[in-house]
Amino acid sequence: MGTAAVTLAATVLVGGPSQATPPDGAARPVGARPAPSAPEPTHDTGQYAPQRAKPYQPVTPDRKAKRPKASPPDFGPHERIVRAYHRGQLSLDETVRYGTMSIDSPASVPARLRPTGPVKNPTTYLKYLSMLSARATPDASRAMTPTITAPAPAAAAAAYDDCGAEDYEYLDVNYKCRASAGEFLILYNVAGGGQPGIPPVYNPNGRPEAVQHMLNSLSIAVGEYREMGYPLPVRADKPYVLVYGVDKLGRAEVTAPMVLPLGMNQQPTILVPTSETEWDYMPRHELFHVMQYQYWDRSDVVADWLWDFVGGKEFGSMNWWMEATAEWAAHQTYARTGGWSPLGEDDLYARNVPDVLRKPGQALNSWGGLGTGSQYGSFLLPAYLTERTDGAFVRHTWESVRDHDHLPIEAIRNAVAGYGMNFKHMLLGYHIANYRLAKANNPSLPTPPGSWDLYGYQDSDSTLWRSNLYGYTETNDDGLGDARPARKKHTVAAGTHTEYQDILRKGGAVYHDFWAKAQSGDPSCGYCSTLLVDTTKDPNRSSAIIIWSPKGSPGSLAEYPTIETVKYPDAGGLITVSNFAYPMVATLVTTWTELEVHSQDAADSPKTFSTYMETTLPLKERQCSLRAPNVTSLSLNVAPESTFNNYAASTPDGWTGGDSTYSVKLPDGRIIWLFSDTWLGPLNANGTRPTTAPLVNNTFVVQNGNNLTTYHGGTAGAPRPIMGPTSTTTWFWIGDGHLSGGRLQAVYQEYLKFGPGSWDFRFNRNVVADFDLSNLRTPVRVRDLPSASGVAWGSALLPASRSGDGYTYIYGVDDSPTHKQMRIARVQGDDLGSGTWQYYTPWGWSFREQNARNTLTGIANEYSVTPWNGQYLLLSQDSTEAFSGRIMAYTSCSPFGPFTNRTEVYRMPEPGPYGSYWDGDIISYNAHVHASLSSGNTFVASYNVNSMDTRVSPEGDHYRDPGIYRPRFFRFTLG
């Protein structure tokens, strides 16, 4: 073995138990336990450092997004034309021409293509024809994209005469009036004589009030959009057109405004049904769709894949962001001009907030169909992202659509990356902001000033957004005095532990309000406990907790959350809220950070998330006159060391060496010795070990006076371990044991071999086996023990019969090459397999294994905790240095520590090149006290000796000198 290999093995072996050749026969140093490998990351720890946006730098994706071919759109009876086109049976020009004829004069369409009923999805059908028109010849597309000019401006002193020009027919409707202002033209009819149209309410200048409002609104909006950086090219004599009065498409009704990608004057065109009466708000919203089509243009998108877009999943995915950003943009036109609307319509953009916040668990990009759905309330997302970056954020997303053929989710990610920020963190911040719906209290307190904007909205309209939630049961009465997103409310007493199941869709969130219960917890801290929330159940989640106090709370308690009260998971995924006491409330915000670019796919993939919550039981440390260990006498080679040596020299097939060396005293006075790797006899006549000697992974040796009897599985001729492997790549090592219900109960740790190397094995799980005392060769039952944290439990046991409080304490080790750390668990009574385990944390006893925390540093893989004169004595090899020969003692008033008064009890003489063997391969490890042999101030302890020489040869250490691999016993007295 080379120097590097020896160094690695030495580092790995400190304090480890022995291990024989694994089941697959690969050689491995006897007595070795592997250094734990760095765990694979299994979750986003959520260590959220709120980020500031950097100056925007465009990010160029590695490649353009690939769009799968979609099925042709389904337009019901009109599908004949569409399918014929996609089958190559119609030219593009024919498709546009026949499609337009199917609206205006369906009888003139050839019989084989003629629709037999109203169009399905009329708005989508019209947009589809508009998209196809972008590539059709001017003659074929003329009906869809005619040219129209504005009327000549009226004389300065004259009244408007919008209806003086000749009639104009478009989409089978005859328009008698046209009004012009700047770059915009409105076609309309005035209601009267049974004809629908604009209400006949006129300004003094003779123009209908509604028309003037729409023209004014368009003029204001286009100015604001251009100042925000959105282009709207000016084309001489070809104004942008708003057509008011598009109520039908053939026999199908049109019920909501829309924008054709390509319409009159070969430009995006706004079509409005006569049911629309929002003269000020609607034009601002629809004009932003016109702006969007400057990015989602016909040369890039329509010509390449836009027909697939309409027919497949892409349409809804795009329309989600179109509507969300149009609502956001309409709001901006009001906010930037003083927030005033002549018709009081400046708040209409926010009316759909409940569609988002009543169902926060729905997909981030949820789409409800044309004209309805949560996409309208999703303006909250661009509002939040803009505040976290700058006013150009939304524009950058549309530039990403244009430059990279991105769908919105891809574009948003790309834009966030351009600001040097993490989108998962942004998404969590968005859901936190939605819960607050206001900036934090006392914004001057945080550093840097104004950092509250990371957690709440700056927009003064956030109070409006919240007010729109009133009246919905799931959003009312949140304890803060105002409505909030839908959430789940829990009153939590100390000692509560629950796992919640929540169904989310991608990008959605769930809110849990945990209300501290009055008069519950530790009285010494005002009835407090520690709230622990484990967020490690799924890798694709981000979580945080907002801490607040209900409205009307006494004293200085804040009624609204402050920046300092947002808590995030630690590196282990645990959120800790200390001093959790009435009237505090802790709101858990969890979001599914995995997103889906297609709205339909996001909505169709619900997933159940599990969240573990508990409030810890307070630690109740005992009081005692704690004193340091003081060794007053020490004796070596004490009983039963010679008994084992004599037995090994004479046995024909029993124990001749082993490690672990735990002991359990039976009611009749016998002692059961629990061993891990065990060599079996006989030895050669000269005292050496034959190279054919069996080695099994675990055995029992029963001592009755000076007589020893070995128990193993299998037969004398073919011995096997008592706890045999469950597969060809696993085996069990033993931990400590005790008596439970008249049976021996022993902890075993299963290890798994995962590669060909000698050290390619790792801890797999813990189990407990029960043995009837009349049959120690076969367990009565085997049950799984907690193993989720990767801790090998059973390094030591302190039975309930000796703990002093009715709990059995189970000690484990957070393994590492050096500086190993103690873990502690406990269970009421003495049955490890059926009792409820609790785990030590600095905040109290937790019911969640992953919440367990390390305590004492420097213990070994095996150690002992023993009562001593009203306190507890911990004995362990020192692991703060490699290959340490030091055995240390600590004392504590409680079984769970804190263990202090570190004192050296004994230095093992055997290990290392300068040890008693003068052999660098020799190691020693795993000291523990044997309570069955100790009393008063006098203790008997053992430790194991081993060799890293693994040669299967008469010259190998384990064969030439079997005495190496046996326990040493010593006695010490504490004064």
Side-chain angles (χ1 to χ4, degrees), residues 668-721:
D668 60 8
R670 292 180 299 157
I671 297 175
I672 300 179
W673 295 91
L674 287 65
F675 289 97
S676 287
D677 290 339
T678 304
W679 291 103
L680 299 176
L683 299 180
N684 295 322
N686 63 358
T688 62
R689 176 176 286 125
T691 57
T692 57
L695 179 66
V696 295
N697 296 124
N698 54 80
T699 62
F700 296 142
V701 175
V702 176
Q703 179 184 0
N704 188 359
N706 288 325
N707 296 319
L708 301 180
T709 304
T710 302
Y711 291 84
H712 55 72
T715 64
R720 293 178 55 81

Coordinates of all heavy atoms in Angstrom, one line a residue, residues 668-721:
D668 N -30.3 -13.5 35.5 CA -29.7 -14.6 36.2 C -28.2 -14.4 36.4 O -27.5 -15.4 36.9 CB -30.0 -15.9 35.4 CG -29.4 -15.9 34.0 OD1 -28.6 -15.0 33.7 OD2 -29.7 -16.9 33.3
G669 N -27.7 -13.3 36.1 CA -26.3 -13.0 36.4 C -25.4 -13.2 35.2 O -24.2 -12.8 35.2
R670 N -25.8 -13.9 34.1 CA -25.0 -14.1 33.0 C -24.8 -12.8 32.2 O -25.6 -11.9 32.4 CB -25.6 -15.2 32.0 CG -25.6 -16.6 32.6 CD -26.3 -17.5 31.5 NE -27.7 -17.1 31.3 CZ -28.3 -17.5 30.2 NH1 -27.7 -18.2 29.2 NH2 -29.6 -17.1 30.0
I671 N -23.8 -12.7 31.4 CA -23.5 -11.5 30.6 C -23.4 -11.9 29.2 O -22.7 -12.9 28.8 CB -22.2 -10.9 31.1 CG1 -22.2 -10.4 32.5 CG2 -21.9 -9.7 30.1 CD1 -20.9 -9.8 33.0
I672 N -24.2 -11.2 28.3 CA -24.1 -11.4 26.9 C -23.2 -10.3 26.3 O -23.4 -9.1 26.5 CB -25.5 -11.3 26.2 CG1 -26.5 -12.3 26.8 CG2 -25.4 -11.4 24.7 CD1 -27.8 -12.2 26.2
W673 N -22.1 -10.8 25.6 CA -21.2 -9.9 25.0 C -21.5 -9.8 23.5 O -21.8 -10.8 22.9 CB -19.7 -10.4 25.1 CG -19.3 -10.4 26.6 CD1 -19.4 -11.4 27.5 CD2 -18.7 -9.3 27.3 NE1 -18.9 -11.0 28.7 CE2 -18.5 -9.7 28.6 CE3 -18.3 -8.0 26.9 CZ2 -17.9 -8.9 29.6 CZ3 -17.8 -7.2 27.9 CH2 -17.6 -7.6 29.2
L674 N -21.7 -8.5 23.1 CA -22.1 -8.3 21.7 C -20.9 -7.8 20.9 O -20.2 -6.8 21.2 CB -23.1 -7.1 21.7 CG -24.6 -7.4 22.2 CD1 -24.6 -7.8 23.7 CD2 -25.5 -6.2 22.0
F675 N -20.6 -8.6 19.8 CA -19.4 -8.4 19.0 C -19.9 -8.1 17.5 O -20.8 -8.7 17.0 CB -18.5 -9.6 19.0 CG -17.7 -9.7 20.3 CD1 -18.2 -10.6 21.3 CD2 -16.6 -9.0 20.6 CE1 -17.5 -10.8 22.5 CE2 -15.9 -9.1 21.8 CZ -16.4 -10.0 22.7
S676 N -19.1 -7.2 16.9 CA -19.2 -7.1 15.4 C -18.3 -8.1 14.8 O -18.5 -9.3 15.1 CB -18.9 -5.6 15.0 OG -19.9 -4.7 15.4
D677 N -17.4 -7.7 13.9 CA -16.6 -8.7 13.2 C -15.9 -9.7 14.2 O -15.3 -9.3 15.1 CB -15.5 -8.0 12.4 CG -16.1 -7.3 11.2 OD1 -17.2 -7.6 10.8 OD2 -15.4 -6.3 10.7
T678 N -16.1 -11.0 13.9 CA -15.6 -12.0 14.9 C -14.9 -13.1 14.1 O -15.4 -13.7 13.1 CB -16.8 -12.6 15.6 OG1 -17.6 -11.6 16.2 CG2 -16.4 -13.7 16.6
W679 N -13.6 -13.4 14.6 CA -12.9 -14.6 14.1 C -13.4 -15.8 14.9 O -13.6 -15.7 16.1 CB -11.4 -14.4 14.2 CG -10.8 -13.3 13.4 CD1 -10.4 -12.1 13.8 CD2 -10.4 -13.5 12.0 NE1 -9.8 -11.4 12.7 CE2 -9.8 -12.2 11.6 CE3 -10.6 -14.5 11.1 CZ2 -9.4 -12.0 10.3 CZ3 -10.1 -14.3 9.8 CH2 -9.5 -13.1 9.4
L680 N -13.5 -16.9 14.2 CA -13.9 -18.1 14.8 C -12.8 -19.1 14.7 O -11.9 -19.1 13.8 CB -15.2 -18.7 14.2 CG -16.4 -17.8 14.3 CD1 -17.6 -18.4 13.5 CD2 -16.8 -17.5 15.7
G681 N -12.7 -20.1 15.7 CA -11.6 -21.0 15.8 C -11.8 -22.2 14.9 O -12.8 -22.3 14.1
P682 N -10.8 -23.2 15.1 CA -9.8 -23.2 16.1 C -8.5 -22.5 15.6 O -8.4 -22.2 14.5 CB -9.5 -24.7 16.3 CG -9.7 -25.2 14.9 CD -10.9 -24.4 14.3
L683 N -7.6 -22.2 16.6 CA -6.3 -21.7 16.3 C -5.4 -22.9 16.0 O -5.7 -24.0 16.4 CB -5.8 -20.8 17.4 CG -6.6 -19.6 17.8 CD1 -5.9 -18.9 19.0 CD2 -6.8 -18.7 16.6
N684 N -4.3 -22.6 15.4 CA -3.3 -23.6 15.2 C -2.6 -24.0 16.6 O -2.7 -23.2 17.5 CB -2.2 -23.1 14.2 CG -2.7 -22.9 12.8 OD1 -3.6 -23.7 12.4 ND2 -2.3 -21.8 12.2
A685 N -1.9 -25.1 16.6 CA -1.3 -25.6 17.8 C -0.3 -24.6 18.4 O -0.1 -24.5 19.6 CB -0.7 -27.0 17.6
N686 N 0.3 -23.9 17.5 CA 1.3 -22.9 17.9 C 0.7 -21.5 18.2 O 1.5 -20.6 18.4 CB 2.4 -22.7 16.9 CG 1.9 -22.2 15.5 OD1 0.7 -21.9 15.4 ND2 2.7 -22.0 14.6
G687 N -0.6 -21.5 18.3 CA -1.3 -20.2 18.6 C -1.5 -19.3 17.5 O -2.2 -18.2 17.7
T688 N -1.1 -19.6 16.3 CA -1.4 -18.8 15.1 C -2.8 -19.1 14.6 O -3.4 -20.1 15.0 CB -0.4 -18.9 14.0 OG1 -0.4 -20.3 13.6 CG2 1.0 -18.6 14.5
R689 N -3.3 -18.2 13.7 CA -4.6 -18.4 13.1 C -4.5 -19.0 11.7 O -3.7 -18.4 10.9 CB -5.4 -17.1 13.1 CG -6.8 -17.2 12.4 CD -7.5 -15.9 12.5 NE -8.0 -15.7 13.8 CZ -7.8 -14.6 14.6 NH1 -7.0 -13.7 14.1 NH2 -8.3 -14.5 15.8
P690 N -5.2 -20.1 11.4 CA -5.1 -20.6 10.0 C -5.7 -19.6 9.0 O -6.7 -18.8 9.4 CB -5.9 -21.9 10.0 CG -6.8 -21.7 11.2 CD -6.0 -20.9 12.2
T691 N -5.2 -19.5 7.8 CA -5.8 -18.6 6.8 C -7.2 -19.0 6.4 O -7.8 -18.2 5.7 CB -4.8 -18.5 5.6 OG1 -4.7 -19.8 5.1 CG2 -3.5 -17.9 6.0
T692 N -7.6 -20.1 6.8 CA -9.0 -20.6 6.4 C -10.0 -20.2 7.5 O -11.2 -20.6 7.4 CB -9.0 -22.1 6.2 OG1 -8.5 -22.8 7.3 CG2 -8.2 -22.4 4.9
A693 N -9.6 -19.5 8.6 CA -10.4 -19.3 9.7 C -11.6 -18.4 9.3 O -11.5 -17.5 8.5 CB -9.7 -18.5 10.8
P694 N -12.8 -18.8 9.7 CA -14.0 -18.0 9.4 C -14.0 -16.7 10.0 O -13.6 -16.5 11.2 CB -15.2 -18.9 9.9 CG -14.6 -20.2 10.2 CD -13.2 -20.0 10.5
L695 N -14.6 -15.7 9.4 CA -14.8 -14.3 9.9 C -16.2 -13.9 9.6 O -16.6 -13.9 8.4 CB -13.8 -13.3 9.3 CG -13.9 -11.9 9.7 CD1 -13.6 -11.7 11.2 CD2 -13.1 -11.0 8.8
V696 N -17.0 -13.7 10.6 CA -18.4 -13.3 10.4 C -18.7 -11.9 11.0 O -17.9 -11.4 11.9 CB -19.4 -14.3 11.1 CG1 -19.3 -15.7 10.4 CG2 -19.1 -14.4 12.6
N697 N -19.7 -11.2 10.6 CA -19.9 -9.8 10.9 C -20.4 -9.5 12.2 O -20.3 -8.4 12.7 CB -20.8 -9.1 9.8 CG -20.2 -9.1 8.4 OD1 -20.8 -9.6 7.5 ND2 -19.0 -8.6 8.3
N698 N -21.1 -10.4 12.9 CA -21.6 -10.2 14.2 C -21.9 -11.5 14.9 O -22.4 -12.5 14.3 CB -22.9 -9.3 14.2 CG -24.0 -9.8 13.3 OD1 -24.7 -10.7 13.6 ND2 -24.0 -9.3 12.0
T699 N -21.7 -11.5 16.3 CA -21.9 -12.7 17.1 C -22.3 -12.3 18.5 O -22.2 -11.1 18.8 CB -20.7 -13.6 17.2 OG1 -19.6 -12.8 17.8 CG2 -20.2 -14.1 15.8
F700 N -22.7 -13.3 19.3 CA -22.9 -13.1 20.7 C -21.9 -14.1 21.4 O -21.7 -15.2 20.9 CB -24.3 -13.4 21.2 CG -25.4 -12.5 20.7 CD1 -26.6 -13.0 20.3 CD2 -25.1 -11.1 20.6 CE1 -27.6 -12.1 19.9 CE2 -26.1 -10.3 20.1 CZ -27.3 -10.8 19.7
V701 N -21.4 -13.7 22.5 CA -20.7 -14.6 23.4 C -21.3 -14.5 24.8 O -21.3 -13.4 25.4 CB -19.2 -14.3 23.5 CG1 -18.5 -15.2 24.5 CG2 -18.5 -14.5 22.1
V702 N -21.8 -15.6 25.4 CA -22.5 -15.6 26.7 C -21.5 -16.0 27.7 O -20.8 -17.1 27.6 CB -23.7 -16.5 26.7 CG1 -24.3 -16.5 28.1 CG2 -24.7 -15.9 25.7
Q703 N -21.3 -15.2 28.7 CA -20.4 -15.5 29.8 C -21.2 -16.0 31.0 O -22.1 -15.3 31.5 CB -19.5 -14.3 30.2 CG -18.6 -14.5 31.4 CD -17.8 -13.3 31.8 OE1 -18.0 -12.2 31.2 NE2 -17.0 -13.4 32.8
N704 N -20.8 -17.1 31.5 CA -21.4 -17.7 32.8 C -20.3 -18.0 33.7 O -19.7 -19.1 33.6 CB -22.3 -18.9 32.4 CG -23.1 -19.3 33.6 OD1 -23.0 -18.8 34.7 ND2 -23.9 -20.4 33.4
G705 N -20.0 -17.1 34.6 CA -18.8 -17.3 35.4 C -17.6 -17.1 34.5 O -17.4 -16.1 33.9
N706 N -16.7 -18.2 34.5 CA -15.5 -18.1 33.6 C -15.8 -18.9 32.3 O -14.8 -19.2 31.6 CB -14.3 -18.7 34.3 CG -13.8 -17.7 35.4 OD1 -13.9 -16.5 35.2 ND2 -13.4 -18.2 36.5
N707 N -17.0 -19.4 32.1 CA -17.3 -20.1 30.9 C -17.9 -19.2 29.8 O -18.8 -18.4 30.1 CB -18.3 -21.3 31.2 CG -17.7 -22.3 32.2 OD1 -16.5 -22.6 32.1 ND2 -18.5 -22.7 33.2
L708 N -17.4 -19.4 28.6 CA -17.9 -18.6 27.5 C -18.5 -19.6 26.4 O -18.0 -20.7 26.2 CB -16.8 -17.8 26.8 CG -16.1 -16.8 27.7 CD1 -15.0 -16.1 26.9 CD2 -17.0 -15.8 28.3
T709 N -19.6 -19.1 25.8 CA -20.3 -19.9 24.7 C -20.6 -18.9 23.6 O -21.1 -17.8 23.8 CB -21.6 -20.5 25.2 OG1 -21.4 -21.3 26.3 CG2 -22.2 -21.3 24.1
T710 N -20.2 -19.3 22.4 CA -20.3 -18.4 21.2 C -21.6 -18.8 20.5 O -21.9 -19.9 20.2 CB -19.1 -18.6 20.2 OG1 -18.0 -18.3 20.9 CG2 -19.3 -17.7 19.0
Y711 N -22.3 -17.7 20.1 CA -23.6 -17.9 19.3 C -23.4 -17.2 17.9 O -23.0 -16.0 17.9 CB -24.8 -17.3 20.0 CG -25.2 -18.1 21.2 CD1 -24.5 -17.8 22.5 CD2 -26.2 -19.0 21.2 CE1 -24.9 -18.5 23.6 CE2 -26.5 -19.7 22.3 CZ -25.9 -19.5 23.5 OH -26.2 -20.2 24.6
H712 N -23.6 -17.9 16.9 CA -23.6 -17.3 15.5 C -24.7 -18.0 14.7 O -25.3 -18.9 15.1 CB -22.2 -17.5 14.9 CG -21.7 -18.9 14.8 ND1 -22.3 -19.8 14.0 CD2 -20.8 -19.5 15.5 CE1 -21.6 -21.0 14.1 NE2 -20.7 -20.8 15.1
G713 N -24.9 -17.5 13.5 CA -25.8 -18.1 12.6 C -25.2 -19.3 11.8 O -24.0 -19.6 12.0
G714 N -26.0 -19.9 11.0 CA -25.4 -21.0 10.2 C -25.1 -22.2 11.0 O -25.8 -22.5 12.0
T715 N -24.1 -22.9 10.6 CA -23.7 -24.1 11.3 C -22.2 -24.0 11.7 O -21.5 -23.1 11.3 CB -23.8 -25.4 10.4 OG1 -22.9 -25.2 9.3 CG2 -25.3 -25.5 9.9
A716 N -21.7 -25.0 12.5 CA -20.3 -25.0 12.9 C -19.4 -25.1 11.7 O -18.4 -24.5 11.7 CB -20.1 -26.1 13.9
G717 N -19.8 -25.8 10.7 CA -19.0 -26.0 9.5 C -19.2 -24.9 8.6 O -18.3 -24.6 7.7
A718 N -20.3 -24.2 8.6 CA -20.5 -23.0 7.7 C -21.2 -21.9 8.5 O -22.4 -21.6 8.4 CB -21.4 -23.4 6.5
P719 N -20.4 -21.3 9.4 CA -20.9 -20.2 10.2 C -21.3 -19.0 9.4 O -20.7 -18.6 8.4 CB -19.8 -19.9 11.2 CG -18.6 -20.3 10.5 CD -18.9 -21.4 9.6
R720 N -22.4 -18.3 10.0 CA -22.8 -17.1 9.4 C -23.1 -16.1 10.5 O -23.2 -16.5 11.7 CB -24.1 -17.3 8.6 CG -23.9 -18.1 7.3 CD -25.2 -18.3 6.6 NE -25.9 -17.1 6.3 CZ -25.6 -16.3 5.2 NH1 -24.6 -16.6 4.4 NH2 -26.3 -15.2 5.0
P721 N -23.2 -14.8 10.3 CA -23.5 -13.9 11.3 C -24.9 -14.1 11.8 O -25.8 -14.7 11.1 CB -23.4 -12.5 10.7 CG -23.5 -12.8 9.2 CD -23.0 -14.1 9.0

